[in-house]
Amino acid sequence: MPAHNQATPHAEAMTFDAMVEHVRYEGAYPTYDRAEQAIREVLAGLGRQLIGDERVALAARLPVEAAFELTAQVPRTEPLTGFGFVSDLASRTGGTPATARWDAGTVFAVLARMVGEDLVGSVLAQLPSGYSLLFGRAELAPAG
């Protein structure tokens, strides 16, 4: 069985409420509702980008409410770059690119700890450039 199909014990134990509280703390959101809104918007956006095994594996490691936000979306035929993802998120939420970037970075940081580095690596391998930075990772350009 591939490593990215094995959930960490921490992820199995995390409820949606705990996920929201982690996002609220890390993002310094003023209320539970604002943190929950960020999670739902970012996961819906990610759901429009992912297909296949990574989508299924990611949903399996999330609390049910979060998995629903991810899987309720119809994936785009051509995924957006990281910049496009942030721009799309800002336009859908009525926010600025800066707040959309903050929301995405905060939610993805918590998500990465929940699901594990192997699965995050598989997800990033499926997505176009620009997502590594949103997940708090360096994005290396090919030499040349």
Side-chain angles (χ1 to χ4, degrees):
M1 178 182 289
H4 72 271
N5 286 334
Q6 299 169 356
T8 61
H10 178 67
E12 291 172 3
M14 189 171 289
T15 65
F16 186 68
D17 285 340
M19 182 182 184
V20 173
E21 286 301 331
H22 281 276
V23 168
R24 180 178 178 190
Y25 176 78
E26 290 203 19
Y29 293 106
T31 66
Y32 179 97
D33 290 343
R34 178 61 186 98
E36 180 181 3
Q37 177 186 14
I39 291 169
R40 291 186 185 281
E41 291 166 349
V42 170
L43 290 180
L46 185 60
R48 289 187 287 275
Q49 308 308 308
L50 290 178
I51 59 170
D53 292 342
E54 288 77 15
R55 180 181 172 105
V56 172
L58 184 58
R61 293 199 198 169
L62 294 174
V64 173
E65 300 89 339
F68 178 76
E69 290 298 329
L70 180 82
T71 59
Q73 307 304 312
V74 175
R76 298 172 61 93
T77 54
E78 290 292 323
L80 298 170
T81 64
F83 177 79
F85 178 86
V86 169
S87 297
D88 183 64
L89 186 60
S91 70
R92 287 176 185 271
T93 62
T96 66
T99 58
R101 167 67 177 91
W102 182 264
D103 290 347
T106 302
V107 172
F108 288 158
V110 171
L111 183 76
R113 284 195 306 279
M114 287 176 65
V115 304
E117 289 299 314
D118 289 344
L119 181 53
V120 170
S122 295
V123 165
L124 288 173
Q126 184 186 119
L127 296 169
S129 68
Y131 285 87
S132 293
L133 294 174
L134 294 174
F135 275 88
R137 292 179 164 193
E139 186 161 354
L140 304 175

